Amino acid sequence: QVQLVESGGGSVQAGDSLRLSCAASGWIFRIATMGWFRQSPGKEREFVAAISWSADSTRYADSVKGRFTISRDNAKNTVYLQMNSLKPEDTAAYYCAAVRNRMIVTTEYGYEFWGQGTQVTVSS
């Protein structure tokens, strides 16, 4: 069964850094585009970042560009989201997602599998 498990969330202050991890089942990781989304209470889920199956292409939301970096480690079947210079508006539940597609996908509806989420809280 396909499974995605996020970790690394926590409570930090503005300007701090966090690294989120998403461990994926081996069979899907090798052929899947991976993405990160986030959702705060009362708001819709929004795209954060994505990385292609070969790790040769990445995309970021304008709100995190220059601060967040997505990467993947095939040997560990894991995708990461390095978050620097965190702001209070980054506070949200962060979700890892996967789709069996070689191309970058930036919409929620384009992904097949989802993790349960990990909470990130940034105080001012």
Side-chain angles (χ1 to χ4, degrees):
Q1 183 178 359
V2 174
Q3 186 175 20
L4 304 176
V5 181
E6 303 99 330
S7 63
S11 182
V12 299
Q13 295 192 5
D16 286 351
S17 298
L18 281 175
R19 188 179 75 164
L20 305 184
S21 298
C22 174
S25 57
W27 71 266
I28 190 173
F29 190 85
R30 291 172 174 80
I31 62 172
T33 285
M34 306 295 296
W36 286 96
F37 290 76
R38 66 186 183 185
Q39 186 171 26
S40 57
K43 295 187 176 182
E44 63 185 7
R45 188 171 297 183
E46 65 174 340
F47 170 76
V48 176
I51 185 167
S52 64
W53 70 276
S54 60
D56 62 347
S57 181
T58 58
R59 290 185 184 177
Y60 299 91
D62 289 340
S63 60
V64 306
K65 193 172 299 182
R67 299 188 298 120
F68 291 10
T69 302
I70 188 171
S71 62
R72 64 194 297 166
D73 187 336
N74 290 349
K76 298 181 179 179
N77 290 347
T78 302
V79 62
Y80 304 96
L81 184 67
Q82 178 66 44
M83 305 184 294
N84 298 327
S85 301
L86 284 164
K87 304 175 181 179
E89 49 263 46
D90 294 320
T91 295
Y94 284 71
Y95 297 88
C96 176
V99 60
R100 291 170 292 178
N101 196 319
R102 295 180 180 179
M103 306 299 293
I104 286 287
V105 179
T106 61
T107 62
E108 177 181 358
Y109 312 106
Y111 284 86
E112 298 178 87
F113 309 104
W114 294 82
Q116 70 273 54
T118 184
Q119 180 67 37
V120 172
T121 301
V122 185
S123 60
S124 59

